[in-house]
Amino acid sequence: DDETVNDDDQNNSGPGLTVNGRYKDVYIYESVANARECFNSGKPISCVMLSNKSYWMMTKDSTMLEIQPSIEPVCTLCGAAYFHWVIEDTDEPETYSEIHDVTEFCLLLPKLGPKGLPEADQFDHEFYFITHTWKEMIWNASKNMREITLPHVRNAVY
């Protein structure tokens, strides 16, 4: 139910993460190498967004691997904006601690090819971004910037 949100998945243990004081869950990768492999494979990616608008993949040893979207979308298909994402190169990945303010739990969904999920050797790291609160990353041309907002659906009630 909505009152109790907890982690019952024994195979996905990792740092406890909260949003607005409530425990949530994000997929925790086995290691930094595993996170990089998944990122490069063309599969959906789980990450968190911090209050400073940075994006991080989490690992079981509490390491955070930063990922970043392009400034402008690569393309828009059926209203979904796909951005090119990269793993930030750093010598030392950051370690998660409770001081990090997680504001959103996010999914990066890869742009599908003609046969579904892209083959790893043909994947250009183009993802659609959506959060646990159904916000998406869009390009606001009038402001010349990315925004994270609810989708613009005609006659929708939010």
Side-chain angles (χ1 to χ4, degrees):
D1 69 47
D2 196 38
E3 294 302 314
T4 32
V5 179
N6 58 26
D7 182 3
D8 293 72
D9 186 352
Q10 298 299 320
N11 296 323
N12 195 23
S13 62
L17 302 171
T18 60
V19 169
N20 297 331
R22 293 210 31 202
Y23 182 82
K24 297 282 185 175
D25 200 9
V26 61
Y27 182 80
I28 306 296
Y29 296 91
E30 291 291 325
S31 64
V32 169
N34 174 248
R36 286 180 185 277
E37 178 184 330
C38 290
F39 183 84
N40 291 321
S41 70
K43 296 177 185 170
I45 297 298
S46 176
C47 65
V48 296
M49 182 175 78
L50 302 183
S51 58
N52 66 0
K53 301 279 193 262
S54 62
Y55 309 94
W56 301 83
M57 295 171 71
M58 310 296 291
T59 67
K60 286 188 177 182
D61 66 357
S62 297
T63 301
M64 298 170 38
L65 188 62
E66 187 174 9
I67 55 177
Q68 294 183 352
S70 57
I71 300 298
E72 296 184 31
V74 177
C75 67
T76 302
L77 300 171
C78 299
Y82 289 84
F83 291 82
H84 179 80
W85 287 73
V86 297
I87 294 177
E88 182 66 24
D89 279 333
T90 58
D91 293 335
E92 287 290 318
E94 186 149 343
T95 301
Y96 175 80
S97 71
E98 292 298 325
I99 63 167
H100 293 293
D101 187 15
V102 175
T103 58
E104 300 279 353
F105 296 90
C106 315
L107 274 178
L108 300 180
L109 302 173
K111 186 171 81 172
L112 298 177
K115 297 180 182 178
L117 287 175
E119 297 295 326
D121 62 342
Q122 299 173 354
F123 182 54
D124 291 329
H125 299 92
E126 296 170 2
F127 292 98
Y128 168 73
F129 172 95
I130 191 160
T131 72
H132 75 284
T133 57
W134 298 106
K135 294 177 184 170
E136 64 181 352
M137 185 177 288
I138 64 166
W139 175 251
N140 185 328
S142 64
K143 294 181 181 178
N144 201 29
M145 63 183 279
R146 287 187 316 257
E147 289 184 342
I148 297 176
T149 185
L150 288 171
H152 300 293
V153 179
R154 199 177 296 201
N155 299 323
V157 177
Y158 295 111

